[in-house]
Amino acid sequence: MLAQLSRTLGNQPRDLSSLCLAVAQHAPSPMAMMEGAAHIIRYVNPAFCSLIDRPAEELIGKSLCEMLPEKDKCVKLLDRVFRTGMPTGHTEQEHSKRHPVFWSYTMWPVIEDERSVGIMIQVTETTQFREKTLAMNEALILGSVRQHELAEAADSSNVLLQMEISERKQVEEALRSAQTQLSDRAGQLEGLVAERTAELTATNKQLEAFVYSIAHDLRAPLRSMQGFSAMLVEEEGAALSERGRDFANRINRSAIFMDALLQALLTFSRISQQQIQLTSVNLKTVVQSALSHLEKEIQEKAGRVEITGLWPTVLAHEPTLGQVLMNLLSNALKFVRSDTPPQIRLRAEENGQFVRVWVEDNGVGIAPEHQEQIFRLFMRLHGEKFAGTGIGLAIVQKGVERMGGQVGVEATPGQGSRFWFELRKVEGGKEMSDNVSNSRSGNESNKRYSYD
Amino acid sequence: MYQIHDPEMNPTSDIPTTENQPLLLVDDSENDVELMRMAFHRANFNSPLYALRNGEEAIAYLTGEGIYSDRDKFPHPAVMLLDLNMPMKNGFEVLAWLRAQPEYKRLLVIVLTASMRSDDVERAFELKADAFFVKPSDLDELTAMLRCLRDWLHYNHFPPLK
């Protein structure tokens, strides 16, 4: 640089002022020097000229104030610097169409003998400022638009989110209130159920008492009818005509029948109503007990009973099971042709978790269309021919159902019937086959229990 | 229940059996009482039978109240056949009263009723009845029942009553 400087200046002796001049001449920053209070331009460097876009000759000798667009501001500044001797910096924006620029400059006083004689201006930042600023502004605006957009988007998504949240909150609320309602309702229903159960239990008890006392009170007059009509024949029979004795016998038989009806109804009612607990029951024992109750009838009819198969332990209520077997066996003994001795086969087989007990007979059989009806209360197929209350099978069905089982029949008219019922098997129970002793001697040939 | 016939053994003749001792029948049903009399007769049951219509009368008889103070006419019973459903003190009330009396603690009480309810059976034995018979509807069966009772009384020995 010194070399260049020396070339510019030629080979003239260098003193400080010419060096400073050289510095100013080559400075990239526009510089100008003014003299006096009028701020007459005495020196401008090339950078200043290209900035203003005017040659030096046009500028030198003129007041800087004339050159500047916003005369007042600049003048004020210049005056202040000149007066106070204090440097200042400034940024100016020029709205000139030709040179839209931002000026950023510094001015300081030239002091001689402790007073200002002139001012030095150095422009530190100009060109592209506006562009840069504009660009920056644009960027900022864009940014702020973007930001605004983003903010809007955020806002709207916020709003959406808020809506979603509030919706979800609503849903949650609805769910919670539904749950509360549900549990309230469940509580109410439970209360209702408890009430109804209590009512039902009370009603059941009442019904039980009612049915019982009806049957009980109805049987008392029947006792009288039966007893006195029998005594009528027995003690006064001779004084009666045959017709009179016949009347008395009919009264007697009717009373007996009605009493049987009432007893069967009582049994049915008891089996339907009573609380029963199911326990492990030895099937075979109950079968044998039922048979021993029917002993007399079996003998009278020259009946034969055969017991085969394995007899597992079942889940049952012993008295009810006894009643069921009694009724089935009693039927098997009864519904035979008058010239045929009844032959009954009892067998048990396992059917998964259940035990199926078969009571098979050689009786008159049942037509398919009647096989369902016969289990109904008061249903009698053979009104005149075979005596009966029509309640026996209803008791069987109700009893088996209450023990958690099922009942059914397979039958062909004229070829006997095979009644069955199923009860739950008890695992680990003893299986009784033919080891059970028969308490009755098998001497009578017209009655036999045979075992496989 | 069979008497061992041993000549060396002192026959228990000084301890009476309850055979032919008076029976008290407490039942509010006139018909049932009549049927019982007929059945008694058919069963050749010869013990004297005294019928009372309700619980209060039964208690009056036992305490010797009023007309019943004549013990020749109305002797102390050895056995009581007691119905349950009666007005003026039912069978349970009579039982309860009875077992509280020292002299009647050992009176043989057979509940004889039409009821077959297990609750009633339970309660009767709670109150210390000695037996629970259900009135059969059939006269023949009633006769058989009384015959059985007659035989039982023949074999049973009671300590002498005061």
Short mmCIF file of all heavy atoms in Angstrom, two decimals, chain A residues 2 7 33 63 72 75 103 124 144 182 188 190 195 204 310 337 343 345 361 366 370 375 384 396 433 452:
data_model
loop_
_atom_site.label_atom_id
_atom_site.label_comp_id
_atom_site.label_asym_id
_atom_site.label_seq_id
_atom_site.Cartn_x
_atom_site.Cartn_y
_atom_site.Cartn_z
N LEU A 2 1.84 1.18 0.70
CA LEU A 2 2.77 2.32 0.70
C LEU A 2 3.38 2.52 -0.68
O LEU A 2 3.56 3.64 -1.14
CB LEU A 2 3.89 2.09 1.73
CG LEU A 2 3.60 2.68 3.12
CD1 LEU A 2 4.63 2.22 4.12
CD2 LEU A 2 3.64 4.21 3.07
N ARG A 7 3.39 5.74 -5.55
CA ARG A 7 3.22 5.92 -7.01
C ARG A 7 2.21 7.02 -7.28
O ARG A 7 2.37 7.82 -8.20
CB ARG A 7 2.70 4.59 -7.61
CG ARG A 7 3.81 3.72 -8.19
CD ARG A 7 3.24 2.73 -9.16
NE ARG A 7 2.19 1.91 -8.58
CZ ARG A 7 2.41 0.84 -7.84
NH1 ARG A 7 3.64 0.44 -7.57
NH2 ARG A 7 1.39 0.18 -7.37
N MET A 33 -14.95 17.02 3.67
CA MET A 33 -14.57 17.98 4.71
C MET A 33 -15.21 19.30 4.41
O MET A 33 -15.12 19.81 3.29
CB MET A 33 -13.06 18.12 4.78
CG MET A 33 -12.61 18.91 6.01
SD MET A 33 -10.84 18.91 6.19
CE MET A 33 -10.37 20.17 5.06
N SER A 63 -22.08 24.69 -0.36
CA SER A 63 -22.43 24.27 1.00
C SER A 63 -23.03 22.87 0.95
O SER A 63 -23.79 22.55 0.04
CB SER A 63 -23.45 25.26 1.60
OG SER A 63 -23.95 24.71 2.81
N ASP A 72 -32.84 20.41 6.65
CA ASP A 72 -32.96 20.88 8.03
C ASP A 72 -32.26 20.00 9.04
O ASP A 72 -31.47 20.47 9.85
CB ASP A 72 -34.45 20.95 8.43
CG ASP A 72 -35.14 22.10 7.73
OD1 ASP A 72 -34.77 22.41 6.60
OD2 ASP A 72 -36.03 22.69 8.38
N VAL A 75 -28.46 20.06 8.56
CA VAL A 75 -27.92 21.38 8.96
C VAL A 75 -27.86 21.47 10.47
O VAL A 75 -26.85 21.89 11.04
CB VAL A 75 -28.81 22.50 8.38
CG1 VAL A 75 -28.45 23.84 8.95
CG2 VAL A 75 -28.66 22.53 6.86
N TRP A 103 -28.36 6.51 4.73
CA TRP A 103 -27.05 7.07 5.11
C TRP A 103 -26.77 6.70 6.55
O TRP A 103 -27.60 6.86 7.40
CB TRP A 103 -27.08 8.60 5.02
CG TRP A 103 -27.31 9.14 3.65
CD1 TRP A 103 -28.46 9.22 2.97
CD2 TRP A 103 -26.32 9.75 2.81
NE1 TRP A 103 -28.29 9.81 1.76
CE2 TRP A 103 -26.96 10.15 1.64
CE3 TRP A 103 -24.92 10.02 2.94
CZ2 TRP A 103 -26.27 10.78 0.58
CZ3 TRP A 103 -24.27 10.63 1.87
CH2 TRP A 103 -24.93 11.01 0.71
N THR A 124 -20.44 5.66 6.74
CA THR A 124 -19.94 4.30 7.08
C THR A 124 -20.76 3.16 6.45
O THR A 124 -20.26 2.08 6.23
CB THR A 124 -19.96 4.10 8.61
OG1 THR A 124 -21.22 4.54 9.12
CG2 THR A 124 -18.85 4.87 9.26
N SER A 144 -43.27 -12.83 9.49
CA SER A 144 -44.37 -12.52 10.41
C SER A 144 -45.68 -13.03 9.86
O SER A 144 -46.56 -13.45 10.61
CB SER A 144 -44.43 -11.02 10.69
OG SER A 144 -44.95 -10.33 9.57
N LEU A 182 -76.08 -46.00 35.25
CA LEU A 182 -76.10 -47.46 35.16
C LEU A 182 -75.95 -48.08 36.54
O LEU A 182 -76.71 -48.98 36.90
CB LEU A 182 -74.96 -47.93 34.26
CG LEU A 182 -75.12 -49.35 33.73
CD1 LEU A 182 -76.26 -49.39 32.76
CD2 LEU A 182 -73.84 -49.79 33.05
N GLN A 188 -80.73 -49.84 41.90
CA GLN A 188 -82.20 -49.87 41.99
C GLN A 188 -82.73 -51.26 41.70
O GLN A 188 -83.58 -51.78 42.43
CB GLN A 188 -82.80 -48.92 40.95
CG GLN A 188 -83.04 -47.52 41.44
CD GLN A 188 -83.58 -46.67 40.31
OE1 GLN A 188 -84.13 -47.17 39.34
NE2 GLN A 188 -83.40 -45.38 40.43
N GLU A 190 -81.16 -54.06 41.81
CA GLU A 190 -80.80 -54.98 42.89
C GLU A 190 -81.78 -54.86 44.03
O GLU A 190 -82.23 -55.86 44.59
CB GLU A 190 -79.39 -54.70 43.39
CG GLU A 190 -78.34 -55.57 42.74
CD GLU A 190 -76.95 -55.18 43.20
OE1 GLU A 190 -76.80 -54.85 44.39
OE2 GLU A 190 -76.05 -55.19 42.36
N GLU A 195 -86.33 -56.87 46.83
CA GLU A 195 -87.72 -56.71 47.25
C GLU A 195 -88.59 -57.83 46.71
O GLU A 195 -89.35 -58.46 47.43
CB GLU A 195 -88.26 -55.39 46.69
CG GLU A 195 -88.52 -54.33 47.72
CD GLU A 195 -89.03 -53.06 47.05
OE1 GLU A 195 -90.15 -53.11 46.52
OE2 GLU A 195 -88.29 -52.07 47.06
N ASN A 204 -94.46 -67.26 48.47
CA ASN A 204 -94.25 -68.70 48.46
C ASN A 204 -94.65 -69.32 49.78
O ASN A 204 -95.33 -70.35 49.83
CB ASN A 204 -92.78 -69.03 48.18
CG ASN A 204 -92.55 -69.26 46.70
OD1 ASN A 204 -93.48 -69.22 45.92
ND2 ASN A 204 -91.31 -69.48 46.33
N LEU A 310 -74.41 -100.44 35.97
CA LEU A 310 -73.71 -99.80 37.06
C LEU A 310 -74.55 -98.65 37.59
O LEU A 310 -75.23 -97.98 36.83
CB LEU A 310 -72.36 -99.26 36.58
CG LEU A 310 -71.35 -100.32 36.16
CD1 LEU A 310 -70.14 -99.66 35.54
CD2 LEU A 310 -70.94 -101.16 37.36
N ARG A 337 -101.55 -104.61 30.58
CA ARG A 337 -102.78 -105.32 30.21
C ARG A 337 -103.16 -106.24 31.36
O ARG A 337 -102.30 -106.81 32.02
CB ARG A 337 -102.55 -106.12 28.94
CG ARG A 337 -102.82 -105.29 27.72
CD ARG A 337 -102.65 -106.04 26.44
NE ARG A 337 -102.87 -107.45 26.52
CZ ARG A 337 -102.47 -108.29 25.57
NH1 ARG A 337 -101.83 -107.81 24.52
NH2 ARG A 337 -102.69 -109.57 25.68
N GLN A 343 -93.51 -106.62 34.03
CA GLN A 343 -92.07 -106.89 34.09
C GLN A 343 -91.35 -105.56 33.94
O GLN A 343 -91.55 -104.86 32.95
CB GLN A 343 -91.66 -107.83 32.96
CG GLN A 343 -92.07 -109.25 33.22
CD GLN A 343 -91.56 -110.18 32.14
OE1 GLN A 343 -90.89 -109.72 31.22
NE2 GLN A 343 -91.87 -111.44 32.26
N ARG A 345 -87.70 -103.34 34.10
CA ARG A 345 -86.24 -103.38 34.09
C ARG A 345 -85.72 -101.98 34.46
O ARG A 345 -86.12 -100.98 33.86
CB ARG A 345 -85.73 -103.78 32.72
CG ARG A 345 -84.21 -103.96 32.72
CD ARG A 345 -83.79 -104.84 31.59
NE ARG A 345 -83.72 -104.04 30.36
CZ ARG A 345 -82.68 -104.05 29.54
NH1 ARG A 345 -81.63 -104.77 29.81
NH2 ARG A 345 -82.70 -103.33 28.44
N ASP A 361 -90.82 -100.88 31.02
CA ASP A 361 -91.89 -101.82 31.38
C ASP A 361 -92.43 -102.53 30.15
O ASP A 361 -92.09 -102.20 29.01
CB ASP A 361 -93.01 -101.06 32.13
CG ASP A 361 -93.71 -100.03 31.25
OD1 ASP A 361 -94.09 -100.34 30.09
OD2 ASP A 361 -93.89 -98.89 31.72
N ILE A 366 -97.29 -95.84 25.08
CA ILE A 366 -97.87 -94.49 24.94
C ILE A 366 -97.71 -94.04 23.49
O ILE A 366 -96.62 -94.12 22.92
CB ILE A 366 -97.14 -93.49 25.85
CG1 ILE A 366 -97.12 -93.99 27.29
CG2 ILE A 366 -97.81 -92.12 25.78
CD1 ILE A 366 -96.09 -93.29 28.13
N HIS A 370 -98.98 -88.37 22.59
CA HIS A 370 -99.30 -88.16 24.01
C HIS A 370 -98.06 -88.07 24.90
O HIS A 370 -98.16 -87.75 26.07
CB HIS A 370 -100.19 -89.29 24.52
CG HIS A 370 -101.53 -89.32 23.86
ND1 HIS A 370 -102.15 -90.50 23.49
CD2 HIS A 370 -102.35 -88.32 23.48
CE1 HIS A 370 -103.31 -90.21 22.91
NE2 HIS A 370 -103.46 -88.90 22.90
N PHE A 375 -96.93 -85.69 31.09
CA PHE A 375 -96.26 -85.10 32.24
C PHE A 375 -97.03 -83.92 32.82
O PHE A 375 -96.61 -83.33 33.81
CB PHE A 375 -94.84 -84.65 31.84
CG PHE A 375 -93.93 -85.80 31.54
CD1 PHE A 375 -93.68 -86.19 30.24
CD2 PHE A 375 -93.34 -86.52 32.58
CE1 PHE A 375 -92.84 -87.26 29.97
CE2 PHE A 375 -92.50 -87.59 32.30
CZ PHE A 375 -92.24 -87.96 31.00
N GLU A 384 -110.94 -94.26 32.47
CA GLU A 384 -111.75 -95.27 33.17
C GLU A 384 -110.96 -96.53 33.45
O GLU A 384 -111.16 -97.18 34.47
CB GLU A 384 -112.99 -95.60 32.34
CG GLU A 384 -114.01 -94.48 32.31
CD GLU A 384 -114.36 -93.97 33.70
OE1 GLU A 384 -114.59 -94.81 34.60
OE2 GLU A 384 -114.36 -92.74 33.91
N VAL A 396 -93.07 -86.45 39.02
CA VAL A 396 -91.77 -86.96 38.55
C VAL A 396 -91.01 -85.84 37.83
O VAL A 396 -89.84 -85.58 38.13
CB VAL A 396 -91.97 -88.16 37.59
CG1 VAL A 396 -90.69 -88.47 36.83
CG2 VAL A 396 -92.43 -89.38 38.36
N SER A 433 -72.66 -102.09 41.88
CA SER A 433 -73.19 -103.04 40.89
C SER A 433 -73.95 -104.12 41.63
O SER A 433 -74.98 -103.86 42.21
CB SER A 433 -72.07 -103.60 40.03
OG SER A 433 -71.06 -104.13 40.84
N ASP A 452 -77.41 -108.11 37.43
CA ASP A 452 -76.35 -108.55 36.49
C ASP A 452 -75.09 -108.82 37.26
O ASP A 452 -74.66 -107.99 38.03
CB ASP A 452 -76.09 -107.44 35.47
CG ASP A 452 -76.99 -107.64 34.27
OD1 ASP A 452 -77.51 -108.74 34.10
OD2 ASP A 452 -77.17 -106.67 33.55
#
